[in-house]
Amino acid sequence: FAINTYINVTPTSTVTIVLDEYSGDQLVVKGTASINFAMSAGGTMNLIGNYEVESGDYDLSLAQLIRKKFKIQKGSTITWSGDPLKAEMNLTAMYAIKTTAAELVNDIQDVPGIDKQKLNFEVYLLLTKELLKPDINFRLDMAESDREAFDGRVYNRIRQVNSIPSDLNKQVMGLLALNHFISDNPFSSLSSTGSSTETAIYATAGR
């Protein structure tokens, strides 16, 4: 027999979507949706509708060694247009970390005291296109209250890093895997660590 019904979801319900059973990457979200569910007599299923996230987490694994929990931003969406496994998503998630900016800035300019003061940084994870095979991008930011620290030089450097993909990937992996930025010092072994971790996260995130 065939089924055709509407499903209304409210923020009181928690939805878990496993993106990768092997790594354990998953979305755990609360939100609102009105979704049409249909199943033909032959068993073919269709979902049509839009799920808007109110709150939630994205549990991300780094090569099965490190786990980070990103907070999904309100207003992120998952949209179904037929095949339940081919939903399109537009999700933004944020991981907050407090660390110094010495490794980030001192390669460019000498800033006295920058290695002593910890600042609030934000790593944004942007997931778009197909739910189970997403396009993955990153962006760095700072808490508004810290953007003027050291005359704005740290924030200016963050904006510069965001415009250079190789620098952005390296610093994101430093923050996620090592909990601090990575220096451009050619004698530092951390650069190779950042590179291998970068490969791992792009290979596993949302796989």
Side-chain angles (χ1 to χ4, degrees), residues 130-150:
E130 195 170 322
L131 180 64
L132 299 181
K133 297 178 182 178
D135 279 0
I136 302 166
N137 291 287
F138 292 97
R139 176 173 60 84
L140 294 179
D141 207 340
M142 294 181 70
E144 260 189 77
S145 58
D146 285 353
R147 290 178 183 176
E148 296 303 318
F150 299 101

Side-chain angles (χ1 to χ4, degrees), residues 31 65 92 135 170 197-198:
L65 297 175
T92 300
D135 279 0
K170 180 177 71 174
T197 308
E198 173 186 333

